[in-house]
Amino acid sequence: MDAIGFTGVEPAEAFRQIDANGDGQLSVEELLQAVRGYYVGHTDVPLLGH
């Protein structure tokens, strides 16, 4: 998160929110769901610089 310019974001917490099944890995589907959720207002994990 720091590398792409986010400040005040706890990377571990963002990861936990995106890791829907809790397996410690992010699948393509989990990433897509996170981006979709962010853009429709269902999640507040900062993504893609927003």
Side-chain angles (χ1 to χ4, degrees), residues 1 4 10-35 43 45-48:
M1 300 295 257
I4 58 175
E10 176 56 44
E13 178 57 28
F15 185 92
R16 279 190 293 277
Q17 290 182 40
I18 296 170
D19 183 17
N21 65 5
D23 69 355
Q25 298 180 357
L26 297 180
S27 68
V28 171
E29 185 59 31
E30 286 170 322
L31 289 171
L32 289 173
Q33 290 291 1
V35 171
T43 183
V45 176
L47 301 167
L48 306 175

